[in-house]
Amino acid sequence: MTDPNDRLAVVVQQSPMTAEYQTPKNPSCVVCARRKVRCDRNDPCSACIKRGIECVFPTHIPPRRRKRRRSEEDRRHSGFYQSPIRQDNAASARIRNIDHPATTHNAFPNAPRAEQGMLLTGDGKSVYLDSLPRAEDVLRDMSDNDSNHSVQEVDEETSLILGGAVKKSLSELHPSPLHIFKLWQTFLENVNPLIKILHGPTVQQQLLEATGSLGTVSKEFEALMFSIYCIALVSLKADDVQNTYGESKAVLLSRSRRGARLAFTKAGILRTSKTVVLQAYVLYLLSLRASSDPQSIWSLCGVAMRMAQRIGLHRDGSELGLSIFETEMRRRLWRQLSILDVTTAQSSGVTSQFPYFSVDVLPPSNINDSELDPRMTDPPREHHGATEMMFVLARNEFGEWMRRWSKAGGDSHGGRGFLASSSLSYEAKDEAINELNRAFETKFLQYCDKSIPLHYMSARLMQTVVCQMRFSAHHPRQYVEKDPVSLAERDFVFSTCVQILEGFEDCQSNEIIERYLWHVDNHIPWDALIYTLYELRTRIDEEETKRSWVLIDRIYSRHYDQMRNRPKTALHIAMQGLILKAWKSHSEERTRRNRSLLPCPHIVSVLAERSERGISSHQPRSEPSVSGSGTPQGRTTQDITPGNVGTLDPLNNFDLSPLDWSQWDDLLENFQLEFTNSELFSTDAL
């Protein structure tokens, strides 16, 4: 019987099945062998029948080489190496469990407690195997000769996701060498500090070599190059792209995305065992995140997760005998991919079925890239202060906290679901959030120098996350059909929402972190915005309400302008109604209590005017000007009377009271579905 305390301790033993076969196998047909797909060896085979082509088998089976014992050195030189960390004897390898505080529970309660596996590595490739009977097929895939596979032939599975035919050369889709290096510098400044899945010094040298001879660059690294172009362009403003590269951002980004899809097809993305292709694919997904719907990105994340499992990223490299450098980079990539999968799943309204953090994978180290080298044999000493890994490690800390608390109360809620669970008291939830806040303070915030852009961005992230967790724990949807919410609770939730809006607006408008805007762009905190508007209908305290209207004006005006070329959605109709009705109610309440009226927010003026004229396009005439006191200047309240607000269409077609969160959830979900990038699966030429 398996020891229940030894969850991952398993012995991979050489089976007689791997050394001999009782019955000889027929060969694969010529077409399947050339396409490197599994053949059922029937005559004709099902694959050829499906493709409508003639099925031809070879006239004879090449003699199989006699197997012989090979030394470890022979296996390394051959390019493929079984790489367990500990070998109890010549025929076994052990992968042991790592017990560290943050990773002591499997995210799958019903998963088997023992796992067999080994890692085959060589020539930049790695394949993780849970069982041995298919090892021969995997080795054959790893040793495929590229010359036997036409670069113009695309298998049906890859074309389903990435499109049609592949060109022999993608050189004409690359920018000029000067522009390639500029995009790389943009990547290093704007993108890499927030994800850290590439080792800057190593990739820079490879990029310089590749730029000098684009025709001979490997297909795997070419995929990485195009993905770097994509994410770098996404991080830039349209005007900056036009001024620097002489073409519009839309044209360059479309060309780079097309090059990336074709490069992935050439690299055999669905069969690859090279980490560099997975790194490229994660960058590509990140570049799509702001312009595509979460459901599509989450589905594409599934491909990345399967690639990661094939490569063995879900097992820690230190237990697989990998180098210090490779182990560290695998940890970074696995954590970033896990976060992407979880966040896109959450945006899609589902709980990710894959664990954020495998019980076997340790967190990345708190070290700078300059302290890592592919040739190093001794681990670098970790820092106890700020490094260039601050943002990544802060997100990791948040993920570890969520994983620990996701099983609070004896239930498995997945992600932050425990904050909405009735099995935990509000006091217990608040204490959990206080624990997260203390971890942020002691590990990161006390070392932050807010004059450094990365530190400022990290601090803003941590502060906003804590506020968002407090809002989730006290979310108004938990009070539906219950006793009225106390005034103190309403004040607390309102104040928390205002802090969330302040954090979002700071990220959008603060020049010191402008380079990181791509990471937060188009991710409006809708729930906090909606609740704030509902509360503002009856609140008249001067400072907080004035500050709230300023924030709403700036945030929604910016979003309204960004959506000017898109058709109006049900969400925007509802938000238009909510903003105007909230302002109407707020003004009436101030009048009733003999308070002076606030200057009308710019966005209210624009929405009212557009509705009166029946114009559905999203385009404010100008940005709101702000007075010295921080109040937006626009039309006065008297210009928008309660009477004319009540007659505006489509305001009266949407019931906004009482607050119905299920209705708003449906609107947000539909908006995300309509926010799909039609280019996602397109490979049409420009």
Side-chain angles (χ1 to χ4, degrees), residues 460-669:
R460 177 53 72 188
L461 165 80
M462 290 180 270
Q463 292 161 358
T464 302
V465 161
V466 170
C467 289
Q468 288 176 334
M469 295 303 100
R470 295 198 191 281
F471 182 46
S472 297
H474 295 263
H475 200 289
R477 63 165 53 93
Q478 300 180 43
Y479 297 102
V480 176
E481 298 180 359
K482 293 185 179 180
D483 295 334
V485 184
S486 68
L487 180 59
E489 178 72 3
R490 287 177 56 192
D491 288 342
F492 174 78
V493 176
F494 179 74
S495 178
T496 301
C497 287
V498 173
Q499 291 179 61
I500 293 173
L501 297 182
E502 284 180 326
F504 178 79
E505 174 59 20
D506 186 36
C507 288
Q508 294 284 330
S509 58
N510 197 320
E511 291 184 359
I512 193 174
I513 53 175
E514 185 179 17
R515 68 184 66 177
Y516 304 135
L517 186 59
W518 67 272
H519 189 73
V520 296
D521 207 11
N522 293 320
H523 294 279
I524 295 177
W526 289 108
D527 279 14
L529 185 64
I530 291 166
Y531 182 80
T532 302
L533 283 165
Y534 267 94
E535 281 291 313
L536 283 172
R537 295 181 302 170
T538 57
R539 290 182 178 271
I540 61 170
D541 49 292
E542 293 294 327
E543 290 304 318
E544 198 158 36
T545 55
K546 182 185 295 185
R547 182 162 53 108
S548 300
W549 279 114
V550 170
L551 290 169
I552 291 168
D553 192 11
R554 291 174 176 173
I555 290 172
Y556 201 77
S557 290
R558 185 184 299 108
H559 174 73
Y560 192 83
D561 184 63
Q562 290 172 344
M563 300 296 294
R564 64 183 180 274
N565 295 323
R566 293 179 178 268
K568 185 184 295 184
T569 67
L571 173 66
H572 294 105
I573 294 173
M575 285 301 300
Q576 175 179 322
L578 178 56
I579 291 172
L580 291 177
K581 286 188 173 182
W583 178 252
K584 170 190 172 183
S585 299
H586 177 77
S587 299
E588 289 175 342
E589 185 68 14
R590 295 186 71 88
T591 301
R592 188 177 69 83
R593 299 194 188 185
N594 297 320
R595 298 288 186 90
S596 61
L597 300 178
L598 297 176
C600 179
H602 175 79
I603 189 62
V604 175
S605 301
V606 171
L607 292 178
E609 181 181 348
R610 298 287 176 181
S611 296
E612 289 169 351
R613 295 168 54 188
I615 297 176
S616 61
S617 62
H618 293 74
Q619 188 175 4
R621 289 177 301 176
S622 61
E623 291 294 323
S625 59
V626 181
S627 67
S629 62
T631 304
Q633 301 298 304
R635 296 198 301 174
T636 62
T637 308
Q638 287 78 7
D639 293 327
I640 306 174
T641 64
N644 84 32
V645 170
T647 62
L648 298 178
D649 285 326
L651 301 185
N652 291 327
N653 297 328
F654 203 92
D655 184 15
L656 297 171
S657 182
L659 179 54
D660 184 352
W661 281 105
S662 62
Q663 186 180 45
W664 284 106
D665 290 341
D666 291 341
L667 289 171
L668 290 169
E669 181 178 357

